[in-house]
Amino acid sequence: MDSSAPEASRRTARASLVESVRDCTLAGVRISKEELRRKLTMPEYLRLAVTDAIESKDIDGAADRHRLSAGESAESPEFPLVVFINRNSGGRHGPKLKARLQDLMAKEQVFDLQCVEPDQFVEYGLRCLEKLALGDLCAKQTREKLRVVVAGGDGTVGWVLGCLGELHVQRREPVPPTAVIPLGTGNDLSRSFGWGGSFPFNWKSAIKNTLDRAGRGQECHLDSWNISISMPAKEIVHRPHCLKPVKECYLDQGLEIGVLPEKVSYYKGVFYNYFSIGMDAQVAYGFHNLREKKPHLAKGPVSNKLIYSGYTCAQGWFFAPCMSDPKLRGLNNILKMFIKKTNCSNWEEVSIPPSVRSIVALNLNNYASGRNPWGKLKPDYLEKRGFRQARVDDGLLEIFGLKQGWHASFVMADLISAKHIAQAAMIRFEFRGGERKEAYLQMDGEPWKQPIVEDYSAFVEIKGVPFRSVMINGTVSS
């Protein structure tokens, strides 16, 4: 008997096992590349019509050029997907991921955000598909089943969610649910809905798993929050793309406002994860500027976090008591905060503790790469403070404070909770300067330097968007 036969058999079995594991979902079911492609890929005429409409900005013409001829028919895929990739997010995995995705579905369903922005897809691509759906069953079913995957960080996901939300706000059209491939540094939106906190090491096979889950996952909801800024007429320098200048915005009635000059600048935006004021935003601002000027330094999540930690130390957050610079003092010197609670029409002023140097209004249970600074609070404590257990779809923001860097470090290590301040359905911040000429603000990881002056107030008002974003739960089982 050949003694090498058992060893050869074992080698074959091991190879088979490795291949099976590589191509499995989390539930252990093998995903066939060909089968997945069949389930994902839209018929060619629909793909070409969508891309033609985006490129030509001619919805009617694109629909007419690619409409099926009389007697022709096509079948809608089981779960049609489109993917948006931010190639500059996190560790710059976008180009190789784009090639992999185009191998798993049609290339026309994979959009590079440097070439096609999500509002262009919504305005032209989806409208073309909707026009075809009026007399085409395949197009109708494809539009109804369409789902979106965003490959990027929290800022990218928020950008796409905001554009998709306009479908409901402006056209009352159904909004495709969204899944995430985490390419950013923190990826808290991705973590909150079961898509993981980082780009997977075995990404080639993991992407198949992600697309399969994106097609089969259950829909869930996410609160989103409008932010309005009214300020003395100045331009916000290095303004994040999620914050847009507008002609006018109105502050909620019922609260006497501070002094505004005759000339006022207005900005509006939407956030999904958090809004913050203070030292954490100042650190993020320094890091963001460095990454823009020297992108070669930000090669991945690990290097990003090391640079971020360096900025935290350099900005004086840890050693503020030793310094006299007014920029390093508590926020209560420049800031007033007012809140409205659920089903309450009256504003309530909330005092800001002198020790607090960052204030965060948090929507998710994840913050700063998966931390939960609000914590899992006990029922007795919730009842005593008048709080509810935090959820992403409860119409409330959790407001907490961070003190010096040491306090923030212990909070981020989950050794202690942050300074609980309030839960609110609406928030208004009033800024007034003095020695300080600016404050640092950020939302969903996008920071900016907010001008403030001594003679006039600047206001930031936050209130919930009536429409909740539609997400896909990534923790589905087979």
Side-chain angles (χ1 to χ4, degrees):
M1 184 175 181
D2 186 356
S3 61
S4 65
E7 179 62 28
S9 177
R10 283 193 292 270
R11 285 198 300 269
T12 301
R14 282 197 297 269
S16 177
L17 178 61
V18 169
E19 180 68 18
S20 296
V21 170
R22 187 169 60 240
D23 286 341
C24 281
T25 65
L26 296 181
V29 178
R30 184 182 178 91
I31 303 174
S32 163
K33 174 180 171 181
E34 292 73 21
E35 180 69 10
L36 183 64
R37 184 179 177 89
R38 185 187 65 79
K39 291 181 178 181
L40 298 176
T41 305
M42 293 188 287
E44 183 180 27
Y45 80 100
L46 293 180
R47 305 194 311 262
L48 295 177
V50 168
T51 54
D52 186 357
I54 293 171
E55 291 171 359
S56 66
K57 296 181 173 53
D58 179 6
I59 297 166
D60 294 337
D64 290 339
R65 285 189 290 272
H66 299 283
R67 197 183 303 276
L68 287 177
S69 302
E72 290 185 312
S73 64
E75 184 177 350
S76 173
E78 185 175 340
F79 41 82
L81 297 180
V82 295
V83 183
F84 294 99
I85 298 179
N86 184 349
R87 69 169 73 177
N88 293 327
S89 288
R92 320 273 177 173
H93 296 291
K96 60 183 180 181
L97 176 59
K98 179 179 178 180
R100 174 61 171 166
L101 288 166
Q102 289 178 335
D103 186 45
L104 295 173
M105 65 175 75
K107 65 179 183 179
E108 296 89 356
Q109 291 172 235
V110 182
F111 297 100
D112 186 331
L113 286 170
Q114 288 192 344
C115 303
V116 177
E117 296 187 356
D119 57 341
Q120 295 173 322
F121 171 78
V122 170
E123 178 65 22
Y124 300 106
L126 269 187
R127 286 184 65 188
C128 179
L129 185 59
E130 289 160 2
K131 185 173 183 63
L132 287 169
L134 295 176
D136 182 332
L137 180 61
C138 176
K140 181 175 183 294
Q141 292 176 339
T142 299
R143 172 63 182 92
E144 290 172 349
K145 294 187 290 185
L146 186 67
R147 293 187 164 201
V148 171
V149 179
V150 183
D154 287 343
T156 305
V157 178
W159 182 20
V160 174
L161 289 176
C163 294
L164 293 176
E166 291 302 309
L167 282 168
H168 176 82
V169 174
Q170 295 184 0
R171 289 155 45 187
R172 299 296 174 185
E173 293 286 344
V175 177
T178 301
V180 184
I181 297 173
L183 291 184
T185 302
N187 300 308
D188 290 306
L189 270 166
S190 178
R191 296 172 195 268
S192 296
F193 292 95
W195 298 104
S198 61
F199 192 62
F201 177 76
N202 59 333
W203 64 274
K204 286 190 176 180
S205 56
I207 293 306
K208 291 198 297 182
N209 174 26
T210 296
L211 297 179
D212 181 66
R213 289 187 290 151
R216 296 185 296 110
Q218 295 293 317
E219 295 182 13
C220 48
H221 292 93
L222 168 68
D223 289 335
S224 50
W225 299 86
N226 276 326
I227 180 169
S228 302
I229 300 177
S230 305
M231 53 183 276
K234 284 189 175 182
E235 181 182 359
I236 295 178
V237 181
H238 302 304
R239 173 177 52 84
H241 75 263
C242 57
L243 196 64
K244 307 292 186 184
V246 294
K247 291 184 178 180
E248 194 168 9
C249 57
Y250 299 95
L251 296 176
D252 185 77
Q253 300 300 312
L255 180 66
E256 185 177 346
I257 66 171
V259 181
L260 278 170
E262 291 185 7
K263 294 184 178 180
V264 180
S265 296
Y266 301 100
Y267 294 86
K268 279 193 173 183
V270 179
F271 71 92
Y272 301 85
N273 187 350
Y274 68 94
F275 169 81
S276 73
I277 305 167
M279 282 300 301
D280 68 320
Q282 184 173 343
V283 171
Y285 184 82
F287 169 75
H288 179 78
N289 284 345
L290 176 69
R291 187 167 62 173
E292 291 295 312
K293 293 176 182 176
K294 300 180 180 180
H296 61 279
L297 295 178
K299 294 182 178 179
V302 174
S303 60
N304 285 349
K305 289 172 184 176
L306 288 173
I307 297 170
Y308 210 97
S309 299
Y311 261 105
T312 303
C313 297
Q315 296 293 335
W317 202 357
F318 284 89
F319 305 106
C322 303
M323 301 182 181
S324 58
D325 188 335
K327 292 182 180 179
L328 302 178
R329 295 175 187 166
L331 289 174
N332 64 327
N333 294 318
I334 62 166
L335 189 66
K336 290 183 179 181
M337 180 170 65
F338 306 86
I339 67 168
K340 275 188 179 181
K341 297 182 179 179
T342 304
N343 299 323
C344 182
S345 59
N346 297 323
W347 287 98
E348 171 188 340
E349 184 170 2
V350 178
S351 61
I352 299 172
S355 59
V356 167
R357 306 194 55 231
S358 286
I359 286 180
V360 182
L362 182 64
N363 187 37
L364 303 181
N365 296 323
N366 287 283
Y367 169 80
S369 301
R371 277 73 171 189
N372 185 3
W374 186 258
K376 293 285 186 180
L377 307 183
K378 295 181 179 179
D380 290 346
Y381 181 81
L382 291 170
E383 183 177 358
K384 179 181 177 181
R385 295 294 305 270
F387 292 159
R388 302 181 190 175
Q389 200 64 259
R391 298 201 330 265
V392 301
D393 59 352
D394 59 1
L396 292 172
L397 289 168
E398 285 66 52
I399 307 169
F400 61 87
L402 299 172
K403 304 176 184 180
Q404 71 278 8
W406 306 108
H407 174 252
S409 297
F410 286 128
V411 171
M412 294 304 115
D414 291 328
L415 298 175
I416 59 175
S417 294
K419 176 79 173 174
H420 299 132
I421 297 177
Q423 282 182 316
M426 287 185 66
I427 310 172
R428 181 183 294 178
F429 295 104
E430 180 180 353
F431 294 85
R432 183 70 74 90
E435 293 180 86
R436 296 174 65 167
K437 304 303 180 186
E438 69 275 321
Y440 290 88
L441 284 64
Q442 67 170 332
M443 56 183 186
D444 288 356
E446 296 193 73
W448 72 92
K449 191 185 294 185
Q450 176 67 42
I452 53 177
V453 296
E454 183 175 4
D455 297 330
Y456 299 105
S457 295
F459 296 92
V460 174
E461 189 167 284
I462 299 170
K463 60 181 178 180
V465 176
F467 168 74
R468 294 181 297 171
S469 296
V470 186
M471 302 297 294
I472 301 172
N473 188 341
T475 58
V476 297
S477 60
S478 179

